[in-house]
Amino acid sequence: NGYLAELGEAVVARQPQLSMGVLSDMCSQVKDSIPLGEATTETYVSTENMVSDKGGIQASSGLPSSGKVIRYKKGDTLVANIRPYFKKIWYAPNDGTCSGDVLVFRANSRKHSALIYFLLRQDAFFDFVMLGAKGTKMPRGDKTQMMRFPIPAHFEDTVLALTTSLVDEISANDREISKLTLLRDALLPKLMSGEIDVSNIELPTQLNSHLADC
């Protein structure tokens, strides 16, 4: 996934900058707040369960005790707005909710959804956000300023198709990782306790044949 994401960044970064626009030409920030009661832990995103250095998200520890949440949709890009230098960003493969400290960027045209994600993944974007950040201990990006982030005004259809393919593959991998993680967490305690006995299982010798010459 890291390789696929870096490839997407490289593709958009190498786009010829014949004419330039700004981020607001291609997307907007969503402020669709809904009651907390409509949120679920499984699809809730906060700055706490977003992983630094563009690592996506991990399982949420729970919902807040009060207030409202922001609704995001499949194809949106979520960016943590507390301490932007941590570079917390995630492409949403499903609908869900998030805290108010997480910004939701939605492409004006659906065909640009993946493109927006890779544009915002660039270090240049986070550097730009920090130029307008306010606060010292826990700086927050200026929502108006970040929408002026310069981007190429036009992208070829081949670039749009490639970036869409890349995020689809990343999302598919994430789903598979989640399934394998749940399976591991369910089986490992049983293996460690002896509840499941694998001592009599015969593995094909060719699985370890590559170790013979070590």
Side-chain angles (χ1 to χ4, degrees):
N1 272 0
Y3 170 77
L4 295 174
E6 289 177 6
L7 178 59
E9 284 187 60
V11 168
V12 299
R14 294 175 182 174
Q15 180 72 10
Q17 300 182 3
L18 301 178
S19 60
M20 298 296 291
V22 293
L23 187 60
S24 60
D25 295 335
M26 199 170 289
C27 72
S28 61
Q29 293 181 28
V30 177
K31 302 176 183 178
D32 183 14
S33 62
I34 59 174
L36 178 61
E38 297 184 32
T40 62
T41 303
E42 292 74 18
T43 59
Y44 181 72
V45 179
S46 68
T47 58
E48 286 75 19
N49 70 311
M50 297 187 80
V51 182
S52 301
D53 295 323
K54 312 172 189 179
I57 64 170
Q58 56 190 9
S60 173
S61 59
L63 298 172
S65 58
S66 61
K68 291 188 175 183
V69 292
I70 305 298
R71 177 166 29 209
Y72 66 82
K73 294 183 178 180
K74 178 180 179 180
D76 289 344
T77 294
L78 278 60
V79 177
N81 197 33
I82 295 180
R83 295 176 176 172
Y85 52 79
F86 281 140
K87 302 175 184 178
K88 295 182 177 182
I89 185 170
W90 179 61
Y91 179 85
N94 51 256
D95 296 355
T97 58
C98 62
S99 74
D101 290 321
V102 176
L103 303 182
V104 180
F105 294 86
R106 182 170 299 161
N108 298 335
S109 173
R110 191 173 184 83
K111 67 179 182 179
H112 293 144
S113 294
L115 180 66
I116 294 299
Y117 170 66
F118 289 117
L119 284 169
L120 300 186
R121 269 188 64 96
Q122 297 179 98
D123 289 342
F125 172 71
F126 292 102
D127 292 342
F128 183 82
V129 172
M130 284 305 300
L131 291 176
K134 300 175 182 178
T136 53
K137 185 177 181 180
M138 297 185 69
R140 285 174 166 81
D142 184 307
K143 298 177 183 179
T144 300
Q145 179 260 357
M146 65 180 65
M147 297 305 290
R148 295 196 292 269
F149 177 61
I151 61 173
H154 176 72
F155 287 87
E156 298 292 338
D157 289 341
T158 53
V159 173
L160 301 182
L162 178 57
T163 52
T164 298
S165 177
L166 288 171
V167 293
D168 286 346
E169 184 67 24
I170 291 171
S171 296
N173 288 343
D174 282 339
R175 288 191 294 270
E176 189 67 18
I177 290 170
S178 296
K179 292 178 183 178
L180 292 173
T181 300
L182 290 173
L183 182 62
R184 178 204 62 194
D185 293 346
L187 291 179
L188 189 56
K190 297 180 184 295
L191 289 168
M192 297 296 290
S193 67
E195 183 179 347
I196 297 178
D197 183 9
V198 296
S199 59
N200 294 324
I201 295 178
E202 295 184 7
L203 296 176
T205 56
Q206 61 267 28
L207 288 178
N208 295 320
S209 62
H210 66 287
L211 298 176
D213 298 327
C214 294

